[in-house]
Amino acid sequence: MRVLLTVFPATSHLYTVVPLAWALQCAGHEVVVASPEGVVDPKVIANITSSGLTAVSLGGREELTASLAPLIAGAGPNRPTLALDPDDENAWRTARAVLAGMFNAYYPPESAAGGRRPILDTLVEFARDWRPDLVLWDPLAPTGAVAARACGAAHARLLFGMDNIGLIRSKTRQELADPTSGLTEDPWMSWLGPVLERYGLDFTEETLVGQWTMDLTQSRMRHPVDLTYVPVRRVPYNGAAVLPEWLHARPERPRAVLTLGVSRRLLAGRHSGFPMREFFESVSGLDLELVATLNSEQLAVVGTLPDNVRAIEYVPLNQVLPSSSAIIHHGGGGTFAAAVAFKVPQLVVPLPMWDEAVTARYVVRRGAGVAADPAAIDVDGMQKDLVRLIEEPSFRLGARDLYEDMLAAPSPKDVIPVLERLTAEHRG
């Protein structure tokens, strides 16, 4: 069968889908990956092809630039985010409003020059020409559902993290059904209604949440949402790189890794909210090696590094984590999954973008690590926590438990027959 994957234009979203795309290709299916031109991440199209997949560029740089400007420019503490805490009634409503603004970029008003909507029309035209049997779409790239319906393909969401959009939609439907809520009109129909009319389609819930959902998160982390989820193991993929010589042999002393994630670096640059210089000073006297992924802008802020800190702009986590005893990270889904895959205890400083705070609490609850409060970071406390992660065996046991949970989900290869069956059932 032919499978079209659509991803939000960020390499972290792309890397999430690569193992499943490889599995589909190895099973003999044709696979292409479509994305708008990168705004946050200008290398996203090139990274599709460098991962061994066929890319389809959807253009749309200007439209997304205007929509994402508040998220990109406001990298400080008051920046609007999509972070969601299920127990915070205000957070999900705020996230819903931010998402509506983002989604409007995919469906801009018709221009005077022929009324063309670049991202959406390019994808629909490609889908009608290429005729995919299945469209797997990123929840932040909802054009995939419209394109699938326009060409008669089966379609499903492929989650990059926790299903915040499914939770928001569930809560929105509860509000719409409650006459005392004051909500009388669907807040997402202002952008979705006109585009469905444009292609002669009526509204269905599947346009927002898919005919089913491929869920790469651990089952115990899943939001309590009544949707059809198909679990699939999240296999870490962080890009390809030459193995550095210093990683050829096991380290002579415990190794820890500090990373704030690719998307966090692109969005926030030096304004990550993490006190790197102070933290490096606090660990300078410890008998360990700290590998920190820092670019030139971040290094300029940090200044002189202690002797036991190795700075490198980028190293795939699957190269460095097998020889590591601990990781300090921002709570991103890809980093969490890589730490789980290599059974590495975690110190999570949740820098909010999507589900980082929930991930931090989950790591603590499962005994696989500790968490720091990003609003009041105590570098001395973090230093002590890092030592605990390395020295106390209980954290290794907790990390192993998370690893066993990961193995309980079917691998990308094993889930291919399920995709084939569901595609045959749902294809128009």
Side-chain angles (χ1 to χ4, degrees):
M1 62 185 181
R2 286 186 160 183
V3 183
L4 167 63
L5 293 95
T6 67
V7 296
F8 182 75
T11 294
S12 58
H13 286 239
L14 165 66
Y15 283 173
T16 300
V17 310
V18 167
L20 181 59
W22 281 349
L24 285 161
Q25 287 190 150
C26 290
H29 300 298
E30 296 180 67
V31 178
V32 299
V33 182
S35 175
E37 294 287 346
V39 178
V40 174
D41 186 351
K43 296 181 180 180
V44 64
I45 299 297
N47 286 339
I48 294 173
T49 57
S50 67
S51 69
L53 300 169
T54 299
V56 174
S57 173
L58 304 178
R61 182 185 296 271
E62 293 182 1
E63 289 75 22
L64 285 181
T65 299
S67 175
L68 297 178
L71 291 174
I72 298 172
N78 296 321
R79 174 181 61 86
T81 78
L82 297 169
L84 187 62
D85 184 334
D87 298 326
D88 186 339
E89 286 298 311
N90 293 323
W92 72 266
R93 289 188 176 89
T94 300
R96 182 175 65 188
V98 175
L99 283 167
M102 291 179 62
F103 291 164
N104 274 329
Y106 294 108
Y107 313 113
E110 295 190 10
S111 65
R116 183 171 179 78
R117 292 178 169 91
I119 299 171
L120 176 64
D121 287 346
T122 300
L123 181 61
V124 170
E125 289 166 7
F126 172 77
R128 284 174 168 171
D129 289 339
W130 197 64
R131 306 296 298 177
D133 300 289
L134 170 64
V135 178
L136 296 175
W137 49 279
D138 187 317
L140 292 186
T143 47
V146 178
R149 294 189 61 195
C151 72
H155 67 95
R157 292 182 303 154
L158 180 53
L159 301 184
F160 59 87
M162 295 183 67
D163 190 11
N164 288 0
I165 290 178
L167 180 63
I168 292 171
R169 185 59 190 167
S170 175
K171 288 181 174 291
T172 298
R173 294 186 67 183
Q174 292 173 15
E175 277 194 325
L176 289 168
D178 181 3
T180 66
S181 70
L183 187 67
T184 57
E185 295 184 2
D186 195 324
W188 281 353
M189 287 304 293
S190 60
W191 55 266
L192 185 55
V195 75
L196 292 174
E197 292 176 5
R198 176 183 177 84
Y199 291 103
L201 302 171
D202 57 350
F203 171 73
T204 67
E205 284 294 322
E206 293 174 352
T207 313
L208 287 173
V209 295
Q211 293 172 319
W212 71 92
T213 298
M214 306 300 296
D215 190 359
L216 285 85
T217 61
Q218 294 207 356
S219 60
R220 299 191 197 190
M221 295 180 70
R222 187 176 299 156
H223 291 313
V225 179
D226 186 19
L227 293 172
T228 301
Y229 291 100
V230 176
V232 57
R233 187 182 310 160
R234 183 163 185 165
V235 177
Y237 173 78
N238 311 113
V242 176
L243 186 69
E245 185 175 349
W246 55 272
L247 278 175
H248 289 186
R250 301 288 299 183
E252 296 180 356
R253 51 184 174 171
R255 173 177 288 151
V257 177
L258 169 64
T259 176
L260 299 180
V262 173
S263 294
R264 169 62 54 176
R265 177 189 292 178
L266 291 167
L267 276 171
R270 70 179 68 182
H271 308 293
S272 64
F274 188 90
M276 291 184 189
R277 177 186 295 180
E278 294 83 355
F279 182 65
F280 292 159
E281 291 175 353
S282 74
V283 301
S284 61
L286 298 179
D287 185 24
L288 60 77
E289 175 193 21
L290 180 65
V291 179
T293 55
L294 303 174
N295 60 16
S296 57
E297 184 181 15
Q298 292 168 318
L299 279 172
V301 177
V302 170
T304 303
L305 294 174
D307 292 338
N308 65 341
V309 175
R310 182 192 299 273
I312 184 168
E313 183 164 351
Y314 182 74
V315 60
L317 289 175
N318 61 301
Q319 290 185 358
V320 68
L321 285 182
S323 61
S324 299
S325 301
I327 182 171
I328 306 105
H329 67 93
H330 61 301
T335 307
F336 165 77
V340 170
F342 295 104
K343 302 186 285 293
V344 177
Q346 306 173 48
L347 197 171
V348 187
V349 187
L351 304 177
M353 291 180 69
W354 188 256
D355 54 10
E356 293 81 3
V358 178
T359 298
R361 291 201 296 267
Y362 182 72
V363 168
V364 173
R365 187 168 72 248
R366 298 299 305 277
V370 295
D373 182 357
I377 295 178
D378 175 7
V379 293
D380 291 333
M382 288 183 60
Q383 182 241 58
K384 294 176 182 176
D385 284 336
L386 178 57
V387 172
R388 290 182 59 212
L389 292 182
I390 294 172
E391 295 183 350
E392 295 181 17
S394 64
F395 293 113
R396 281 280 176 184
L397 294 175
R400 179 172 289 278
D401 286 344
L402 289 184
Y403 173 75
E404 296 295 336
D405 282 357
M406 181 198 76
L407 292 183
S411 71
K413 176 180 72 71
D414 294 334
V415 85
I416 300 305
V418 179
L419 282 175
E420 293 168 341
R421 174 178 58 80
L422 289 171
T423 299
E425 293 175 1
H426 289 280
R427 186 171 48 213

